Protein backbone atom coordinates (compact mmCIF):
# COMPACT_ATOMS: atom_id res chain seq x y z
CA UNK A 1 0.00 0.00 0.00
CA UNK A 2 1.38 3.40 -0.98
CA UNK A 3 0.47 6.82 0.37
CA UNK A 4 1.00 10.19 -1.29
CA UNK A 5 1.85 12.77 1.38
CA UNK A 6 1.72 16.43 0.40
CA UNK A 7 3.65 18.90 2.54
CA UNK A 8 5.90 16.02 3.55
CA UNK A 9 8.89 18.22 4.38
CA UNK A 10 6.95 20.22 6.97
CA UNK A 11 6.68 19.72 10.72
CA UNK A 12 3.76 17.28 10.87
CA UNK A 13 4.48 15.85 7.41
CA UNK A 14 8.06 14.78 8.17
CA UNK A 15 7.01 13.29 11.51
CA UNK A 16 4.08 11.47 9.88
CA UNK A 17 6.33 9.91 7.24
CA UNK A 18 8.73 8.66 9.91
CA UNK A 19 5.84 7.34 12.00
CA UNK A 20 4.28 5.33 9.17
CA UNK A 21 7.54 3.91 7.82
CA UNK A 22 8.71 2.92 11.31
CA UNK A 23 5.48 1.33 12.54
CA UNK A 24 3.92 -0.15 9.38
CA UNK A 25 6.45 -2.26 7.54
CA UNK A 26 4.69 -2.82 4.19
CA UNK A 27 3.74 0.83 3.71
CA UNK A 28 5.39 2.91 1.00
CA UNK A 29 5.30 6.69 0.83
CA UNK A 30 5.76 9.26 -1.90
CA UNK A 31 6.41 12.65 -0.32
CA UNK A 32 5.66 15.81 -2.29
CA UNK A 33 6.62 19.29 -1.15
CA UNK A 34 7.16 22.64 -2.86
CA UNK A 35 9.78 23.49 -0.18
CA UNK A 36 8.39 26.99 0.33
CA UNK A 37 8.18 26.42 4.09
CA UNK A 38 9.16 22.75 4.43
CA UNK A 39 12.84 21.76 4.58
CA UNK A 40 14.70 18.78 3.19
CA UNK A 41 16.71 18.78 6.42
CA UNK A 42 13.57 17.53 8.19
CA UNK A 43 13.62 14.40 5.99
CA UNK A 44 17.33 13.67 6.37
CA UNK A 45 18.15 10.00 6.75
CA UNK A 46 14.73 8.66 5.72
CA UNK A 47 15.74 7.56 2.21
CA UNK A 48 18.88 5.84 3.52
CA UNK A 49 16.93 4.02 6.23
CA UNK A 50 13.88 2.91 4.28
CA UNK A 51 15.18 2.60 0.72
CA UNK A 52 12.57 1.95 -1.95
CA UNK A 53 9.72 2.30 0.54
CA UNK A 54 10.21 6.08 0.38
CA UNK A 55 10.68 8.68 -2.33
CA UNK A 56 10.65 12.48 -2.37
CA UNK A 57 9.48 14.63 -5.26
CA UNK A 58 9.93 18.40 -5.37
CA UNK A 59 6.56 19.60 -6.64
CA UNK A 60 3.76 22.04 -5.94
CA UNK A 61 0.31 20.48 -5.56
CA UNK A 62 -1.11 23.50 -7.41
CA UNK A 63 0.94 22.53 -10.50
CA UNK A 64 -1.52 20.35 -12.46
CA UNK A 65 1.01 18.76 -14.81
CA UNK A 66 3.44 17.88 -12.05
CA UNK A 67 0.78 16.35 -9.81
CA UNK A 68 -0.73 14.47 -12.76
CA UNK A 69 2.68 12.89 -13.35
CA UNK A 70 3.07 12.05 -9.64
CA UNK A 71 -0.33 10.33 -9.46
CA UNK A 72 0.30 8.44 -12.70
CA UNK A 73 3.58 7.01 -11.39
CA UNK A 74 2.07 4.63 -8.81
CA UNK A 75 -1.25 3.23 -7.65
CA UNK A 76 -1.97 5.03 -4.38
CA UNK A 77 -4.28 3.89 -1.62
CA UNK A 78 -4.64 7.41 -0.23
CA UNK A 79 -3.55 11.03 -0.37
CA UNK A 80 -2.69 12.59 3.00
CA UNK A 81 -2.91 16.31 2.30
CA UNK A 82 -0.89 18.42 4.73
CA UNK A 83 -0.47 21.33 2.33
CA UNK A 84 -4.04 22.65 2.56
CA UNK A 85 -3.05 26.02 3.96
CA UNK A 86 -0.10 26.48 1.60
CA UNK A 87 -1.90 25.34 -1.54
CA UNK A 88 -5.19 27.03 -0.72
CA UNK A 89 -8.59 25.93 -1.90
CA UNK A 90 -7.52 25.85 -5.57
CA UNK A 91 -4.64 23.47 -4.90
CA UNK A 92 -6.77 21.29 -2.64
CA UNK A 93 -9.59 21.12 -5.19
CA UNK A 94 -7.14 20.26 -7.96
CA UNK A 95 -5.51 17.37 -6.12
CA UNK A 96 -8.93 16.09 -4.99
CA UNK A 97 -10.06 15.90 -8.62
CA UNK A 98 -6.88 14.20 -9.78
CA UNK A 99 -7.05 11.69 -6.94
CA UNK A 100 -10.56 10.73 -8.12
CA UNK A 101 -9.40 10.43 -11.71
CA UNK A 102 -6.56 8.09 -10.77
CA UNK A 103 -8.66 5.83 -8.55
CA UNK A 104 -7.13 6.86 -5.22
CA UNK A 105 -9.40 5.29 -2.64
CA UNK A 106 -9.09 7.77 0.24
CA UNK A 107 -8.26 11.43 0.73
CA UNK A 108 -7.42 12.81 4.17
CA UNK A 109 -7.02 16.52 4.90
CA UNK A 110 -4.92 17.39 7.94
CA UNK A 111 -6.48 20.51 9.44
CA UNK A 112 -6.04 22.33 12.73
CA UNK A 113 -8.05 24.32 15.25
CA UNK A 114 -5.36 26.99 15.54
CA UNK A 115 -5.59 27.99 11.85
CA UNK A 116 -9.27 27.38 11.15
CA UNK A 117 -9.76 30.64 9.23
CA UNK A 118 -7.03 29.70 6.75
CA UNK A 119 -8.09 26.07 6.39
CA UNK A 120 -11.88 26.45 6.34
CA UNK A 121 -12.04 26.79 2.49
CA UNK A 122 -9.94 23.63 2.07
CA UNK A 123 -12.19 21.76 4.52
CA UNK A 124 -15.26 22.90 2.58
CA UNK A 125 -13.74 21.74 -0.70
CA UNK A 126 -12.96 18.31 0.74
CA UNK A 127 -16.43 17.84 2.23
CA UNK A 128 -17.93 19.11 -1.03
CA UNK A 129 -16.11 16.36 -2.94
CA UNK A 130 -17.73 13.81 -0.66
CA UNK A 131 -21.21 15.25 -1.13
CA UNK A 132 -20.93 15.73 -4.89
CA UNK A 133 -18.80 12.78 -5.95
CA UNK A 134 -19.12 10.34 -3.01
CA UNK A 135 -15.36 10.59 -2.70
CA UNK A 136 -13.99 8.89 0.44
CA UNK A 137 -12.71 11.92 2.31
CA UNK A 138 -11.81 12.33 5.97
CA UNK A 139 -10.60 15.39 7.89
CA UNK A 140 -8.56 15.46 11.08
CA UNK A 141 -8.56 18.68 13.07
CA UNK A 142 -5.88 18.84 15.75
CA UNK A 143 -5.26 21.19 18.65
CA UNK A 144 -1.86 22.82 19.23
CA UNK A 145 0.95 20.45 18.31
CA UNK A 146 4.55 20.21 19.50
CA UNK A 147 7.60 18.01 19.02
CA UNK A 148 10.74 17.60 16.89
CA UNK A 149 11.21 19.42 13.58
CA UNK A 150 8.80 22.26 14.44
CA UNK A 151 10.16 25.62 13.21
CA UNK A 152 11.02 28.08 16.00
CA UNK A 153 8.38 30.52 14.76
CA UNK A 154 5.95 28.38 16.81
CA UNK A 155 5.52 28.94 20.54
CA UNK A 156 7.34 26.01 22.14
CA UNK A 157 10.42 25.86 19.89
CA UNK A 158 10.49 29.66 19.86
CA UNK A 159 10.73 29.80 23.65
CA UNK A 160 13.40 27.08 23.59
CA UNK A 161 15.47 28.85 20.93
CA UNK A 162 15.29 32.23 22.65
CA UNK A 163 16.14 30.73 26.03
CA UNK A 164 19.16 28.89 24.60
CA UNK A 165 20.36 32.22 23.18
CA UNK A 166 19.60 34.03 26.46
CA UNK A 167 17.20 36.31 24.60
CA UNK A 168 13.97 37.79 25.92
CA UNK A 169 10.95 35.47 25.66
CA UNK A 170 7.88 37.54 24.74
CA UNK A 171 4.42 36.22 25.60
CA UNK A 172 1.14 37.68 24.37
CA UNK A 173 -0.91 39.55 26.94
CA UNK A 174 -0.33 38.30 30.47
CA UNK A 175 0.55 34.78 29.33
CA UNK A 176 -2.73 33.31 30.58
CA UNK A 177 -3.93 31.89 27.24
CA UNK A 178 -4.78 28.24 27.74
CA UNK A 179 -4.04 25.74 24.97
CA UNK A 180 -4.48 22.01 24.52
CA UNK A 181 -1.05 20.54 23.61
CA UNK A 182 -0.86 17.41 21.44
CA UNK A 183 2.48 15.67 20.88
CA UNK A 184 3.25 15.28 17.18
CA UNK A 185 3.70 11.52 17.63
CA UNK A 186 0.13 11.26 18.92
CA UNK A 187 -1.02 13.54 16.11
CA UNK A 188 0.54 11.22 13.53
CA UNK A 189 -1.04 8.15 15.13
CA UNK A 190 -4.42 9.89 15.06
CA UNK A 191 -4.05 10.79 11.38
CA UNK A 192 -3.21 7.20 10.44
CA UNK A 193 -6.08 5.81 12.51
CA UNK A 194 -8.55 8.22 10.90
CA UNK A 195 -7.16 7.37 7.47
CA UNK A 196 -7.90 3.67 7.93
CA UNK A 197 -10.94 3.72 10.21
CA UNK A 198 -12.61 7.12 9.81
CA UNK A 199 -16.06 7.33 8.24
CA UNK A 200 -16.13 9.16 4.89
CA UNK A 201 -17.32 12.75 5.09
CA UNK A 202 -16.47 13.17 8.78
CA UNK A 203 -14.16 15.42 10.77
CA UNK A 204 -12.26 13.88 13.67
CA UNK A 205 -10.91 16.07 16.43
CA UNK A 206 -7.47 15.16 17.80
CA UNK A 207 -6.75 16.56 21.26
CA UNK A 208 -4.70 15.54 24.28
CA UNK A 209 -6.67 16.95 27.20
CA UNK A 210 -3.38 18.43 28.48
CA UNK A 211 -4.12 22.15 28.71
CA UNK A 212 -1.46 24.61 29.79
CA UNK A 213 -1.22 28.37 30.12
CA UNK A 214 1.46 29.99 27.96
CA UNK A 215 3.25 31.39 31.02
CA UNK A 216 3.34 28.02 32.79
CA UNK A 217 4.63 26.33 29.66
CA UNK A 218 7.36 28.94 29.18
CA UNK A 219 8.39 28.68 32.83
CA UNK A 220 8.69 24.90 32.53
CA UNK A 221 10.97 25.32 29.54
CA UNK A 222 13.15 27.90 31.29
CA UNK A 223 13.39 25.73 34.39
CA UNK A 224 14.42 22.65 32.39
CA UNK A 225 17.13 24.68 30.63
CA UNK A 226 18.34 26.28 33.86
CA UNK A 227 17.42 29.77 32.62
CA UNK A 228 16.06 32.67 34.64
CA UNK A 229 12.38 33.55 34.56
CA UNK A 230 13.54 37.13 34.14
CA UNK A 231 13.78 36.35 30.40
CA UNK A 232 9.97 36.47 30.22
CA UNK A 233 8.40 39.60 28.76
CA UNK A 234 4.73 40.39 28.21
CA UNK A 235 3.36 42.09 25.11
CA UNK A 236 0.08 44.08 25.01
CA UNK A 237 -2.88 41.80 24.45
CA UNK A 238 -3.65 41.54 20.74
CA UNK A 239 -6.93 40.74 19.04
CA UNK A 240 -7.48 37.00 18.96
CA UNK A 241 -4.91 36.33 21.66
CA UNK A 242 -7.10 36.75 24.73
CA UNK A 243 -7.26 33.97 27.27
CA UNK A 244 -9.71 31.20 26.34
CA UNK A 245 -10.76 27.99 27.98
CA UNK A 246 -8.88 25.12 26.39
CA UNK A 247 -11.06 22.28 25.09
CA UNK A 248 -10.51 18.84 26.52
CA UNK A 249 -10.14 15.61 24.58
CA UNK A 250 -13.90 15.17 24.87
CA UNK A 251 -14.46 18.47 23.07
CA UNK A 252 -15.56 20.65 25.99
CA UNK A 253 -14.46 24.27 26.24
CA UNK A 254 -15.12 27.80 25.15
CA UNK A 255 -14.66 29.36 21.72
CA UNK A 256 -13.17 26.21 20.19
CA UNK A 257 -14.35 25.52 16.63
CA UNK A 258 -17.06 22.87 16.71
CA UNK A 259 -16.12 19.91 14.49
CA UNK A 260 -18.70 17.67 12.87
CA UNK A 261 -19.24 14.87 15.41
CA UNK A 262 -17.76 11.52 14.48
CA UNK A 263 -20.34 8.70 14.30
CA UNK A 264 -18.04 6.54 16.43
CA UNK A 265 -14.97 7.54 18.48
CA UNK A 266 -11.66 6.80 16.86
CA UNK A 267 -9.78 3.83 18.29
CA UNK A 268 -7.05 6.28 19.24
CA UNK A 269 -5.92 8.06 22.33
CA UNK A 270 -2.82 10.16 23.02
CA UNK A 271 0.05 8.34 24.70
CA UNK A 272 2.31 11.28 25.57
CA UNK A 273 1.80 13.25 28.77
CA UNK A 274 2.76 16.89 28.48
CA UNK A 275 5.50 17.02 31.12
CA UNK A 276 7.74 14.20 29.81
CA UNK A 277 6.84 15.04 26.21
CA UNK A 278 7.91 18.63 26.73
CA UNK A 279 11.20 17.57 28.34
CA UNK A 280 11.96 15.23 25.44
CA UNK A 281 11.16 18.01 22.96
CA UNK A 282 13.39 20.53 24.74
CA UNK A 283 16.26 18.02 24.76
CA UNK A 284 15.79 17.39 21.03
CA UNK A 285 16.24 21.12 20.28
CA UNK A 286 19.31 21.25 22.54
CA UNK A 287 20.85 18.35 20.60
CA UNK A 288 19.82 19.62 17.15
CA UNK A 289 20.82 23.27 17.10
CA UNK A 290 22.20 22.85 13.59
CA UNK A 291 18.64 22.11 12.38
CA UNK A 292 16.91 25.17 13.86
CA UNK A 293 19.60 27.83 14.18
CA UNK A 294 19.43 28.93 10.50
CA UNK A 295 15.67 29.57 10.87
CA UNK A 296 13.86 32.72 12.01
CA UNK A 297 12.69 32.61 15.64
CA UNK A 298 9.19 33.69 16.62
Amino acid sequence: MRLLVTGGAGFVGSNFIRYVLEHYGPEMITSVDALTTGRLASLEGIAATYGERYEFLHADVADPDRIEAVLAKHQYFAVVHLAGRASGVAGTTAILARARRHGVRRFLLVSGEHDQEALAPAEAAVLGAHGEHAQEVVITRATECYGPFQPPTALIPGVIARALRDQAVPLAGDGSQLRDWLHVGDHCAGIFTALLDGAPGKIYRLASGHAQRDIDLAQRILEHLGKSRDLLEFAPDAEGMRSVAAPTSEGEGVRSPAPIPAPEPLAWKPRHHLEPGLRETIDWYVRNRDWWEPLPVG
Side-chain angles (χ1 to χ4, degrees):
M1 186 168 79
R2 182 177 289 271
L3 306 179
L4 175 62
V5 178
T6 72
F11 165 45
V12 178
S14 61
N15 277 282
F16 179 73
I17 289 169
R18 283 187 169 85
Y19 172 83
V20 174
L21 292 174
E22 179 181 350
H23 291 89
Y24 298 94
E27 299 290 347
M28 294 176 284
I29 288 180
T30 297
S31 171
V32 172
D33 201 297
L35 298 180
T36 50
T37 57
R39 304 175 68 223
L40 285 177
S42 300
L43 299 168
E44 187 174 349
I46 295 179
T49 302
Y50 296 103
E52 63 181 13
R53 292 178 58 207
Y54 168 78
E55 64 179 357
F56 174 81
L57 299 173
H58 184 193
D60 189 333
V61 297
D63 181 338
D65 295 335
R66 191 77 171 110
I67 294 304
E68 186 72 24
V70 170
L71 285 167
K73 186 176 181 181
H74 303 288
Q75 180 61 52
Y76 295 95
F77 168 74
V79 172
V80 178
H81 187 43
L82 293 115
R85 180 172 184 173
S87 67
V89 66
T92 299
T93 301
I95 196 167
L96 271 165
R98 284 169 175 76
R100 286 197 304 274
R101 185 181 308 154
H102 285 273
V104 178
R105 179 175 170 182
R106 287 218 139 192
F107 188 102
L108 186 144
L109 173 67
V110 179
S111 188
E113 289 188 350
H114 60 286
D115 53 3
Q116 267 294 283
E117 185 175 352
L119 283 166
E123 288 189 3
V126 170
L127 294 175
H130 173 68
E132 186 174 351
H133 303 287
Q135 191 166 357
E136 283 195 25
V137 304
V138 179
I139 297 173
T140 58
R141 189 186 288 166
T143 56
E144 296 280 358
C145 199
Y146 73 99
F149 299 107
Q150 186 174 31
T153 48
L155 178 61
I156 287 178
V159 174
I160 296 169
R162 286 182 172 272
L164 287 172
R165 292 172 173 173
D166 292 308
Q167 296 175 339
V169 176
L171 297 177
D174 60 1
S176 63
Q177 180 161 342
L178 199 61
R179 308 171 196 256
D180 181 278
W181 289 101
L182 180 68
H183 190 277
V184 69
D186 293 328
H187 189 182
C188 294
I191 292 169
F192 195 76
T193 302
L195 178 67
L196 296 184
D197 300 335
K202 299 299 180 180
I203 297 177
Y204 292 89
R205 184 173 183 273
L206 305 179
S208 70
H210 300 306
Q212 188 87 170
R213 297 188 307 167
D214 289 353
I215 187 171
D216 297 328
L217 193 75
Q219 287 174 346
R220 283 190 179 193
I221 293 170
L222 294 174
E223 180 180 357
H224 187 72
L225 291 172
K227 301 293 184 178
S228 171
R229 295 185 180 185
D230 292 340
L231 290 176
L232 293 176
E233 291 185 350
F234 299 94
D237 208 4
E239 180 66 26
M241 293 299 293
R242 288 185 289 272
S243 177
V244 298
T248 70
S249 57
E250 286 75 32
E252 299 169 353
V254 179
R255 295 184 58 194
S256 61
I260 299 172
E264 297 289 340
L266 276 177
W268 165 89
K269 62 180 180 179
R271 301 172 64 91
H272 292 78
H273 292 284
L274 180 58
E275 190 167 339
L278 183 61
R279 288 197 303 266
E280 291 171 6
T281 299
I282 296 167
D283 292 342
W284 186 90
Y285 282 90
V286 172
R287 294 192 307 269
N288 292 275
R289 293 186 71 138
D290 57 334
W291 182 85
W292 62 262
E293 281 201 321
L295 302 175
V297 176

